[in-house]
Amino acid sequence: MAVLPIRIMGDPVLHSPASRVDEITDEVRALVDDMFETMDTAPGVGLAAPQVGVPLRIYVYAYVDDEDRPWRGAIVNPELWMRPLEPGDPDPDEEAEGCLSFPGERFPLRRSDEVLVTGTGLDGEKVRIQVSGWRARIMQHEFDHLDGILYVDRLGDGDWKTVQKIARKRGWGRPGAAWLPGVDDLDA
């Protein structure tokens, strides 16, 4: 396994829809192993293949709930269904999100509280996950990456302007911008 560089906002692979995986091969399994290693080193709770420069519809996730129960997996070619969003502004304390592709920052974002994700596991088995709360947020966030959407793309005008200022100041927003977990000193 290897820790892979994580692409930063502005790299074209992050802003384009990813391609479906035709076949789960040893190369796909090795990529997923590397994605877990990268996510754990970062550390993060999810990581999509485009974030490591691979334009495929794959993401991994890992979360430990309030009762110390681990929840970890990989989904290939996921489909996402969600309940309609509750109207209103996001609560900055309860609904703030961060992203390994916009490291060191968090912004409030309203997400659906319940989702259903279906897809395929690494052994070709069907995967069906119905979750709510923080887990639903993780699923929506990672699924967005597969459609070329970063969470900062969903922010309101005021926060979006702040994102643009941060990106300019840090030299992001260009092809090839990346950081390496465990090596680069970034707060993700």
Side-chain angles (χ1 to χ4, degrees):
M1 290 190 291
V3 174
L4 304 172
I6 297 175
R7 304 296 173 94
I8 294 175
M9 175 194 163
D11 192 286
V13 73
L14 294 173
H15 303 284
S16 301
S19 300
R20 288 185 59 79
V21 175
D22 294 327
E23 181 182 0
I24 299 173
T25 62
D26 287 342
E27 290 79 18
V28 168
R29 288 183 193 91
L31 169 64
V32 168
D33 286 344
D34 290 346
M35 289 171 62
F36 275 120
E37 183 78 12
T38 302
M39 177 185 66
D40 293 343
T41 302
V45 295
L47 187 69
Q51 291 181 273
V52 294
V54 180
L56 293 175
R57 297 190 75 79
I58 303 169
Y59 66 79
V60 299
Y61 57 89
Y63 176 72
V64 177
D65 68 15
D66 292 339
E67 296 172 12
D68 288 329
R69 292 180 299 207
W71 181 65
R72 186 174 179 89
I75 303 177
V76 177
N77 296 329
E79 297 291 333
L80 174 80
W81 292 268
M82 62 185 146
R83 285 188 185 231
L85 283 170
E86 293 287 328
D89 293 327
D91 178 329
D93 294 324
E94 298 293 322
E95 296 178 290
E97 245 175 77
C99 181
L100 297 175
S101 290
F102 198 82
E105 303 297 330
R106 294 182 65 79
F107 291 94
L109 178 64
R110 171 79 26 116
R111 296 271 191 186
S112 178
D113 191 51
E114 188 174 341
V115 300
L116 169 65
V117 179
T118 61
T120 305
L122 291 180
D123 293 327
E125 76 280 9
K126 298 290 182 203
V127 174
R128 184 181 196 280
I129 301 170
Q130 188 165 359
V131 290
S132 61
W134 187 251
R135 292 176 181 179
R137 178 174 295 277
I138 294 168
M139 295 288 113
Q140 291 167 83
H141 181 107
E142 299 311 324
F143 188 84
D144 271 354
H145 278 298
L146 305 182
D147 287 338
I149 299 168
L150 297 178
Y151 92 102
V152 295
D153 297 331
R154 295 192 179 277
L155 299 176
D157 288 343
D159 287 336
W160 175 247
K161 288 177 183 173
T162 302
V163 163
Q164 296 305 308
K165 288 177 186 175
I166 292 168
R168 275 193 305 277
K169 181 179 178 182
R170 295 183 181 168
W172 299 346
R174 59 179 171 73
W179 68 284
L180 187 61
V183 174
D184 293 325
D185 186 20
L186 294 177
D187 295 323

